[in-house]
Amino acid sequence: MQDQDIIDVIDDAARALEAGRLVAVPTETVYGLGADAENPQAVAAIYAAKGRPQDHPVIVHVAPGAELDYWCADVPPQARQLAEAFWPGPLTMILKRAAHIPDAVSGGQDTVGIRCPSHPVAIRLLQAFKGGKGGIAAPSANKFGHVSPTTAQHVRDEFGDDIGQHGRIAAVLDGGQSQVGIESTIVDMSRLATHGPVLLRPGHISAEAIAAVIGELPARPDGAAPRASGTLESHYAPHTPVAMQDTAALADTLARLQAAGRKVALIHYSPLPATHAQVELPATPDGFAYALYAALRAMDDAGADVILVEAPPQDGAWLGVNDRLRRAAHGSTGIVHGLINDTPNL
Ligand code: TXA
Ligand code: MG
């Protein structure tokens, strides 16, 4: 497409959002399913399309230079420092919400999640939408609990018939493959005085990088932290069971599964023999994150009995990737043992 065509497509999408429709938007983390954050009916349509519980809050995406005080109340100086340092980029802040934020956006809580994405298509859309003054409420553009999409094709695979003039989703903007590949880091800045900053979801921007800006290391969540559906134990999951295996045990487990006649889809970064289906990912946190969700989707489609994943190293740089893998594998406990010993899973 020519540049002007792309701008026309984005402008059409902005008009659709203004009319209360849904648009799938590429961001640098994953694709989002967007609606006008100030239109409760439009936000409700996101929940319906995703099959997501109504009380789960969604992130509001804003244009570069947006007025934080329009969307949030009692904004602490540290939140402004983080916005200055990391926006546009893959950081979501939880802050006290402004009074006009619909309950559908905040999940009925007194806070709002807000971020300014860095993907050029998302920025162009935010600038075209409501003259750059609007907010786009957008969760990841997948069915509730499923793997987040990192390409426009993934979104089309998720929502198929629901896309187009007569579907719930007016358009899917194609911005290529998301560069980060896993969802944004979420830091709760709404209870600084009593709890300090709290890391609700690890991501590309690390707790240490946040500490370098505000001088305080975000804590891991406690029971009183705001609810976040991306922090549910079972989330980001393919339909095929997922099992993690340490590098040292992987070759042996693979051999035993194959000896038991099982089809194994393998996601790995160390050299290993051929299996039913496999994807070898880069052995770096950024490279692994970039390709992870496409790999999970491809292996989910391979008709295997199990997706076996080589467990990444445990150090801090891999925190975001390990978090998503742990959730993808949740609910598949005992699957490898069951497949080898021919006992039912669980
Ligand atoms: O990278 C991302 O964050 C992507 C892209 C599209 O921006 N979005 C995304 O949205 O991952 P979603 O809905 O799949 O996950 C957002 C997480 C959820 O766990 C939600 O509960 C949490 O953010 N969240 C949003 N607003 C919140 C709030 N006010 N308090 C606590 N958690 C909140
Ligand atoms: Mg999600």
Side-chain angles (χ1 to χ4, degrees), residues 182 202-204 206 208 284-286 289 312-322:
I182 58 171
H204 180 72
S206 66
E208 290 72 22
T284 61
D286 289 355
Q314 284 302 313
D315 62 273
W318 290 87
L319 198 61
V321 160
N322 275 313

Side-chain angles (χ1 to χ4, degrees), residues 185-276:
T185 304
I186 304 182
V187 62
D188 179 15
M189 300 293 285
S190 70
R191 304 175 304 151
L192 272 192
T194 49
H195 294 75
V198 178
L199 187 71
L200 296 183
R201 182 172 71 184
H204 180 72
I205 294 176
S206 66
E208 290 72 22
I210 291 170
V213 174
I214 59 172
E216 193 177 351
L217 191 68
R220 297 312 305 251
D222 58 73
R227 284 171 288 125
S229 69
T231 64
L232 291 178
E233 276 307 315
S234 171
H235 219 74
Y236 313 110
H239 304 291
T240 312
V242 176
M244 304 262 280
Q245 285 281 298
D246 290 338
T247 307
L250 194 60
D252 180 55
T253 301
L254 190 57
R256 282 155 41 114
L257 281 164
Q258 287 173 324
R262 304 304 186 177
K263 290 188 187 135
V264 179
L266 185 64
I267 297 178
H268 62 115
Y269 52 89
S270 301
L272 279 167
T275 59
H276 174 70

Side-chain angles (χ1 to χ4, degrees), residues 50 140 142 148 183 235-236:
K50 277 187 64 110
S140 50
N142 51 275
S148 296
E183 302 80 356
H235 219 74
Y236 313 110

